[in-house]
């Protein structure tokens, strides 16, 4: 349940066409219209922005220095109306900093469960690994640890 754990970067890749660095968030659960889910999304976005804008990403991955950035929400189902509303706000606000935001629907993610370490990598992703942004209890908030590799 990746949105539940803001302490890990779920997906780090490079768009081979645009050259953008993609910080991907994975959400295998169906959208439920809850305030809790919106809070989880906001916390995850804030952690990703902190990772990118505070220099941690550049420190860990110097090759991504001075590259355009895109946050990408990969989810098993289309976001509900409430989530879409907040995604629009997020997209607008981070756009002021030159950061893009995209949503990608990956229906097979629901059947696989947590994408970390279970073959849930986005097709075409150049790299997929967990990158701790602060202390946590493992992959997607579970007790496991280590890197997710494609």
């Amino acid at each position: 349940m990746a949105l539940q754990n803001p302490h890990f970067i779920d997906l780090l890749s490079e768009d081979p066409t645009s050259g953008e660095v993609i910080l991907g968030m994975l959400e295998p659960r169906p959208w439920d219209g809850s305030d809790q889910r919106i809070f989880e999304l906001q916390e995850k976005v804030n952690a990703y922005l902190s990772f990118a804008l505070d220099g941690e990403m550049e420190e860990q991955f110097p090759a991504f220095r001075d590259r355009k950035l895109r946050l990408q929400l990969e989810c098993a189902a289309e976001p509900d109306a409430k989530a879409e509303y907040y995604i629009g706000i997020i997209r607008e606000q981070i756009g002021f900093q030159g950061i893009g935001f995209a949503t990608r629907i990956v229906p097979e993610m629901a059947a696989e469960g947590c994408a970390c370490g279970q073959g849930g990598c986005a097709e075409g992703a150049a790299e997929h690994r967990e990158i701790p942004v602060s202390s946590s209890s493992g992959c997607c908030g579970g007790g496991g640890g280590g890197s997710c590799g494609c």
Side-chain angles (χ1 to χ4, degrees), residues 21-107:
V21 174
I22 300 169
L23 290 176
M25 296 168 261
L26 306 175
E27 180 53 274
R29 300 173 294 175
W31 294 92
D32 61 6
S34 70
D35 290 340
Q36 179 63 35
R37 189 68 54 87
I38 299 305
F39 176 76
E40 291 169 358
L41 175 61
Q42 290 171 330
E43 288 294 299
K44 191 79 163 184
V45 167
N46 288 337
Y48 277 39
L49 291 174
S50 176
F51 176 71
L53 299 176
D54 292 346
E56 190 174 348
M57 181 178 76
E58 190 175 288
E59 182 179 302
Q60 290 186 31
F61 300 94
F64 292 153
R65 174 175 278 144
D66 299 325
R67 303 279 287 286
K68 286 197 64 130
L69 179 65
R70 178 173 79 221
L71 302 187
Q72 185 162 302
L73 175 61
E74 300 197 1
C75 39
E78 289 282 342
D80 57 35
K82 186 174 193 173
E84 273 300 333
Y85 172 78
Y86 283 101
I87 288 169
I89 292 171
I90 292 166
R91 184 177 284 125
E92 179 182 355
Q93 292 301 309
I94 69 175
F96 292 130
Q97 297 178 24
I99 299 171
F101 190 96
T103 304
R104 181 171 174 247
I105 309 307
V106 185

